[in-house]
Amino acid sequence: MLQLFIIRNVFEEMCQDHFNVEMAELGERVAAIVNLPDQSSQYLDILKEKVEDLQAMAGSPFRFSFTTLVGAACRGLEGIHSSYLQAGELEPYLVLLDTDLIIYDDVKDLQVHYDYSLEAEQKIINAIEAGDSRQARLLMMQIFDHKLSGKVSEDSYRYLVYDIVGTLVRGARRGGYRTAAR
């Protein structure tokens, strides 16, 4: 396939002044083993720049796009395998992050999912029903502080906000609030 040939050969050429690169086709994928001189951020930045340059080149004259998943920098043959597995773990992030380049170290602490239990929702609804806005606010803040601590994807944060808004609406209805008929 021409696209794989372009990715494999052009990327190798683009990187030759900075890294040793070995490329392998794995079905419809291309794996690159990049030998970084050290793990300094300078080399990781150069690697990222080369990937972005290749993505731009593929889109402009060749009219195709591809995504790049980068595992952590590791040592030895076992490290190559570990890094490859880490790159594979990044696939679910493609939808969440809406990007064509995902680096394992950038998202390894990112929470993809959150836990908003029915029990937590019921406590908020009960506080709203009882007219205790202070308690309802406190419970919501605890959920945001606890469930969204650390790195969280923008979509996860948005979904939790939607769930909380739904809880507020249900609590308001059960508390007797009704919208006026139009």
Side-chain angles (χ1 to χ4, degrees):
M1 190 148 98
L2 180 62
Q3 295 163 335
L4 297 178
F5 178 81
I6 292 168
I7 291 170
R8 189 181 67 238
N9 290 311
V10 173
F11 187 69
E12 269 185 301
E13 188 173 319
M14 292 172 82
C15 292
Q16 71 185 2
D17 291 339
H18 305 283
F19 319 108
N20 291 326
V21 178
E22 293 294 325
M23 305 292 286
E25 288 186 31
L26 305 170
E28 294 183 4
R29 297 178 181 200
V30 176
I33 301 170
V34 180
N35 186 4
L36 301 175
D38 63 47
Q39 289 187 9
S40 75
S41 63
Q42 170 195 2
Y43 290 110
L44 293 175
D45 289 343
I46 292 170
L47 178 61
K48 184 178 177 180
E49 177 186 319
K50 297 302 176 190
V51 168
E52 289 170 343
D53 290 348
L54 181 59
Q55 287 174 328
M57 181 184 297
S60 182
F62 298 112
R63 295 193 175 116
F64 73 92
S65 64
F66 63 94
T67 56
T68 304
L69 307 173
V70 180
C74 299
R75 294 186 185 278
L77 290 175
E78 292 172 3
I80 292 169
H81 179 70
S82 176
S83 183
Y84 179 77
L85 293 176
Q86 290 168 349
E89 292 172 11
L90 298 175
E91 285 191 51
Y93 292 89
L94 292 171
V95 174
L96 290 173
L97 300 177
D98 191 32
T99 183
D100 290 334
L101 172 60
I102 302 174
I103 299 173
Y104 181 79
D105 286 339
D106 292 345
V107 299
K108 66 182 175 187
D109 297 326
L110 189 66
Q111 295 177 18
V112 178
H113 306 298
Y114 64 88
D115 179 33
Y116 181 49
S117 68
L118 289 174
E119 179 185 343
E121 179 182 42
Q122 191 58 51
K123 286 180 181 180
I124 294 170
I125 289 172
N126 290 343
I128 294 169
E129 234 181 330
D132 190 349
S133 61
R134 184 175 174 265
Q135 180 65 17
R137 181 182 179 282
L138 178 68
L139 291 166
M140 286 186 288
M141 293 311 297
Q142 286 174 349
I143 289 169
F144 278 106
D145 290 344
H146 177 352
K147 304 301 181 196
L148 297 178
S149 59
K151 294 181 180 179
V152 180
S153 76
E154 184 178 316
D155 286 335
S156 293
Y157 191 82
R158 184 179 302 118
Y159 297 148
L160 180 57
V161 169
Y162 291 152
D163 280 345
I164 293 287
V165 168
T167 299
L168 293 173
V169 169
R170 283 186 289 283
R173 284 187 184 145
R174 284 185 45 191
Y177 176 78
R178 302 283 183 245
T179 58
R182 293 183 183 192

